[in-house]
Amino acid sequence: MTEISLQRLEFSLDPKSGVPFYKQVILQVEMAIADQRLTQGDQLPTVRSLAVDLRINPNTVARAYNELEIRGIVTTQQGTGTFISDKQIELTAVQREEVLAEMSKSFISKAYSYGFTIEELIDYLEELGRDGGQ
Amino acid sequence: MTEISLQRLEFSLDPKSGVPFYKQVILQVEMAIADQRLTQGDQLPTVRSLAVDLRINPNTVARAYNELEIRGIVTTQQGTGTFISDKQIELTAVQREEVLAEMSKSFISKAYSYGFTIEELIDYLEELGRDGGQ
Amino acid sequence: MTEISLQRLEFSLDPKSGVPFYKQVILQVEMAIADQRLTQGDQLPTVRSLAVDLRINPNTVARAYNELEIRGIVTTQQGTGTFISDKQIELTAVQREEVLAEMSKSFISKAYSYGFTIEELIDYLEELGRDGGQ
Amino acid sequence: MTEISLQRLEFSLDPKSGVPFYKQVILQVEMAIADQRLTQGDQLPTVRSLAVDLRINPNTVARAYNELEIRGIVTTQQGTGTFISDKQIELTAVQREEVLAEMSKSFISKAYSYGFTIEELIDYLEELGRDGGQ
DNA sequence: GTGGTCTAGACCACA
DNA sequence: GTGGTCTAGACCACT
């Protein structure tokens, strides 16, 4: 696929969304990993620098990073920084299929409650896939 | 396999989204109106039945309905029920896209943590779409 | 086995241990679950009451509970309380064995660094098993 | 299978214990002295080699050694190394038990989260003990 | 009254 | 400089 964009790592918060800041940060880190803007071993912005960037309290950033660490998505080294972890969840093919089915069903149900069709979902995911492609 | 039914109105809550339950309900009603799944005069589920359905406190549903009424989107008839009023909901393509984007990103993030790629997700959804017919 | 003790749920902190308060709380909840003083569905002390009990800040208790929730050990319901989760990690027999082996090896290595022998470990675990037995 | 070697001195760190690295090092040296695995005149690993071994910053090792020296437990000879001094370490049974208890509880807690019972742990350790000879 | 989020600010541990 | 812990206190969401 063609290299459309070399998106930098850029966080932003939407205070009106009702989504807590720390969850927005978590989500954006996960998204960055999902579309390869962040990969194993990459360092995240420091707690303090991201806090300044986003104009929020360092504790809030720390909380997001902490939760990411508990989930095994990042690892931190005191005094050094926070890095994307290299750990991957290992599942059997059957378990993988089960997880995928359950996740997808719940995604579709939710989307359906908002009036979206499966086609719209697929179109949107394809768009994301193209934009975020490596 | 998909179990995505063709009911016109179906609420669902995502406790992990960080969006308050009552806001999720409000948004789903608004989207349904914008989609014509709900039109003027349609009755909403009763507070109690929806509360049971969603396994939340009736106060939470009441709060959502109350806010919808304040905005003029529904009207409550004491002892009868809650009905869609004649106010038009205009959701721009942008607003719709925002909702879709948030949902999709959260889906992708979760999927990532299990090692799925966007391509796998799309394939699976397409499969569901074929099997389930829409 | 005979019912030696009906231990109540009682938390305590050791400020001198160097172990952060919130980790001590987490550990004590886990221990209580491990020896059945807490089982599925049981409610934990409220954040505020435990904070008063332990004479620490409610945020510190909340942090412990939050981490327990992320790990799937407890679930919280806003406005209601925090409860022992019924979720169990499901593993195949092979995975179980692998996990057990890895955990045990690391436990023994650590114990060995402190000069303990396997026999001492076994003796101590047996003692814990007797005391905490249901 | 056990890979528990018979080396007299082996350091290990548990980053998740919440106990600072330098304190873990100090405690392990003390326990080794109390156990006679280290006696007067024995040389400790050099700061650099231990730092490499444990994959931590040499400053951290230096800090541990420094504190041990302040307490009179080791003496440093510039350019030569760090040696056990003649000071006796008296660890009471209670202190030893405390260390053992903390380690064991943390082991059990983790094991619990994977659904293992204390009995299974004991069985497995006994197996290791037999296989590996002690 | 329950838990959840966020801030401000202090102090510690580590590099 | 890095992240980690804790407090005090405010305000919100939900029962």
Side-chain angles (χ1 to χ4, degrees):
Chain A
M1 323 208 169
T2 76
E3 188 165 338
I4 295 183
S5 61
L6 248 182
Q7 301 165 328
R8 272 194 68 263
L9 188 58
E10 203 148 285
F11 292 95
S12 67
L13 295 180
D14 176 5
K16 295 176 188 168
S17 69
V19 180
F21 291 164
Y22 81 94
K23 283 192 181 164
Q24 294 187 41
V25 171
I26 290 173
L27 194 55
Q28 289 180 41
V29 171
E30 288 176 329
M31 283 301 298
I33 295 172
D35 49 42
Q36 315 268 349
R37 299 200 311 280
L38 284 176
T39 60
Q40 295 183 2
D42 285 355
Q43 180 169 10
L44 290 177
T46 69
V47 168
R48 287 168 170 94
S49 72
L50 185 52
V52 169
D53 262 29
L54 298 178
R55 296 158 166 256
I56 59 177
N57 192 288
N59 285 334
T60 304
V61 178
R63 177 174 182 181
Y65 283 12
N66 185 37
E67 180 156 344
L68 285 166
E69 177 164 36
I70 295 171
R71 295 211 221 142
I73 294 173
V74 306
T75 54
T76 65
Q77 267 207 306
Q78 269 230 2
T80 311
T82 306
F83 304 84
I84 304 298
S85 160
D86 49 351
K87 184 179 147 198
Q88 287 287 7
I89 295 176
E90 290 184 26
L91 295 174
T92 67
V94 171
Q95 287 173 317
R96 238 171 99 70
E97 170 83 7
E98 284 169 0
V99 167
L100 179 55
E102 197 253 327
M103 265 182 4
S104 300
K105 215 178 90 179
S106 128
F107 175 52
I108 293 175
S109 297
K110 188 178 173 190
Y112 188 78
S113 309
Y114 288 91
F116 296 108
T117 64
I118 292 190
E119 283 67 35
E120 280 181 287
L121 301 182
I122 293 172
D123 288 348
Y124 190 74
L125 291 182
E126 283 176 338
E127 192 183 317
L128 283 184
R130 273 195 302 277
D131 293 355
Q134 72 287 4
Chain B
M1 190 189 285
T2 73
E3 295 178 15
I4 303 300
S5 67
L6 284 180
Q7 298 168 341
R8 298 187 67 197
L9 191 58
E10 193 158 291
F11 291 97
S12 72
L13 296 179
D14 180 0
K16 294 178 184 165
S17 69
V19 180
F21 290 162
Y22 78 94
K23 281 190 185 168
Q24 293 187 41
V25 171
I26 290 172
L27 190 54
Q28 288 180 40
V29 171
E30 289 178 336
M31 295 279 281
I33 295 173
D35 275 357
Q36 313 275 346
R37 283 173 295 145
L38 282 176
T39 59
Q40 186 181 351
D42 284 355
Q43 181 172 7
L44 289 177
T46 67
V47 168
R48 288 186 184 178
S49 72
L50 186 51
V52 170
D53 255 34
L54 299 177
R55 297 162 165 240
I56 59 178
N57 194 290
N59 289 336
T60 305
V61 178
R63 176 171 183 181
Y65 283 12
N66 187 33
E67 193 151 323
L68 283 165
E69 182 165 28
I70 292 173
R71 298 200 207 159
I73 293 169
V74 306
T75 56
T76 304
Q77 292 216 327
Q78 272 292 357
T80 314
T82 305
F83 301 86
I84 305 300
S85 65
D86 54 354
K87 179 162 181 185
Q88 282 301 324
I89 302 285
E90 293 290 344
L91 282 184
T92 66
V94 171
Q95 287 172 307
R96 240 178 97 78
E97 165 108 356
E98 279 172 5
V99 173
L100 180 55
E102 200 219 317
M103 272 181 1
S104 301
K105 284 179 180 170
S106 150
F107 175 54
I108 293 174
S109 296
K110 192 176 172 199
Y112 161 78
S113 73
Y114 285 95
F116 295 107
T117 64
I118 292 189
E119 282 69 32
E120 282 179 287
L121 301 181
I122 292 171
D123 288 348
Y124 191 76
L125 290 184
E126 282 175 340
E127 192 183 315
L128 285 185
R130 273 195 303 278
D131 292 356
Q134 69 288 359
Chain C
M1 323 210 166
T2 75
E3 187 163 338
I4 296 181
S5 60
L6 248 181
Q7 301 164 326
R8 272 196 67 264
L9 188 57
E10 205 149 284
F11 292 95
S12 68
L13 296 179
D14 177 5
K16 294 175 187 166
S17 69
V19 180
F21 291 164
Y22 81 94
K23 282 190 183 167
Q24 294 188 41
V25 171
I26 290 172
L27 194 54
Q28 290 181 39
V29 171
E30 288 176 329
M31 283 301 297
I33 294 173
D35 49 41
Q36 315 270 349
R37 299 201 308 281
L38 283 176
T39 60
Q40 296 183 2
D42 284 356
Q43 180 169 10
L44 290 177
T46 68
V47 168
R48 288 169 172 94
S49 72
L50 185 52
V52 169
D53 261 30
L54 298 177
R55 296 160 165 253
I56 59 178
N57 192 288
N59 284 334
T60 304
V61 178
R63 179 175 181 179
Y65 283 11
N66 186 37
E67 182 156 342
L68 285 166
E69 177 165 36
I70 295 171
R71 297 211 221 140
I73 294 172
V74 307
T75 54
T76 65
Q77 267 207 306
Q78 268 231 2
T80 311
T82 305
F83 304 84
I84 304 299
S85 159
D86 49 350
K87 184 178 147 198
Q88 286 288 6
I89 294 177
E90 290 184 25
L91 295 175
T92 66
V94 172
Q95 286 174 317
R96 241 173 94 79
E97 171 81 8
E98 283 170 0
V99 167
L100 178 56
E102 197 252 328
M103 265 181 5
S104 300
K105 215 178 89 180
S106 130
F107 175 53
I108 292 174
S109 297
K110 188 178 173 190
Y112 187 79
S113 310
Y114 288 93
F116 296 108
T117 64
I118 293 190
E119 283 66 35
E120 280 180 288
L121 300 182
I122 293 172
D123 288 348
Y124 190 75
L125 291 182
E126 282 176 339
E127 193 182 315
L128 283 183
R130 272 194 302 278
D131 292 356
Q134 72 286 5
Chain D
M1 191 188 286
T2 75
E3 294 177 18
I4 303 299
S5 67
L6 283 180
Q7 298 166 343
R8 299 186 66 198
L9 192 58
E10 192 158 293
F11 291 96
S12 73
L13 296 180
D14 178 2
K16 293 177 185 168
S17 69
V19 180
F21 289 161
Y22 79 95
K23 281 191 184 168
Q24 294 187 40
V25 171
I26 291 172
L27 189 54
Q28 288 179 41
V29 171
E30 288 179 336
M31 296 278 281
I33 295 173
D35 274 356
Q36 312 276 347
R37 282 173 295 147
L38 283 175
T39 59
Q40 186 182 351
D42 283 356
Q43 180 171 9
L44 288 177
T46 66
V47 167
R48 286 186 186 178
S49 72
L50 186 51
V52 169
D53 256 32
L54 299 177
R55 297 161 167 244
I56 58 177
N57 194 291
N59 289 335
T60 305
V61 178
R63 176 172 181 181
Y65 283 11
N66 189 32
E67 193 151 323
L68 283 165
E69 182 163 29
I70 293 173
R71 298 201 207 159
I73 294 169
V74 305
T75 56
T76 304
Q77 292 216 329
Q78 271 290 358
T80 314
T82 305
F83 302 86
I84 305 299
S85 66
D86 56 355
K87 177 160 180 184
Q88 283 300 324
I89 302 286
E90 293 290 346
L91 283 184
T92 65
V94 171
Q95 287 172 308
R96 238 178 99 77
E97 165 108 357
E98 279 172 6
V99 172
L100 181 54
E102 200 219 318
M103 271 181 2
S104 299
K105 285 179 180 171
S106 150
F107 175 55
I108 294 174
S109 296
K110 191 175 172 197
Y112 161 77
S113 74
Y114 284 95
F116 296 107
T117 64
I118 293 189
E119 282 69 32
E120 281 180 287
L121 301 180
I122 292 172
D123 289 348
Y124 191 75
L125 291 183
E126 282 176 339
E127 193 183 315
L128 285 184
R130 274 195 302 277
D131 293 356
Q134 70 285 5

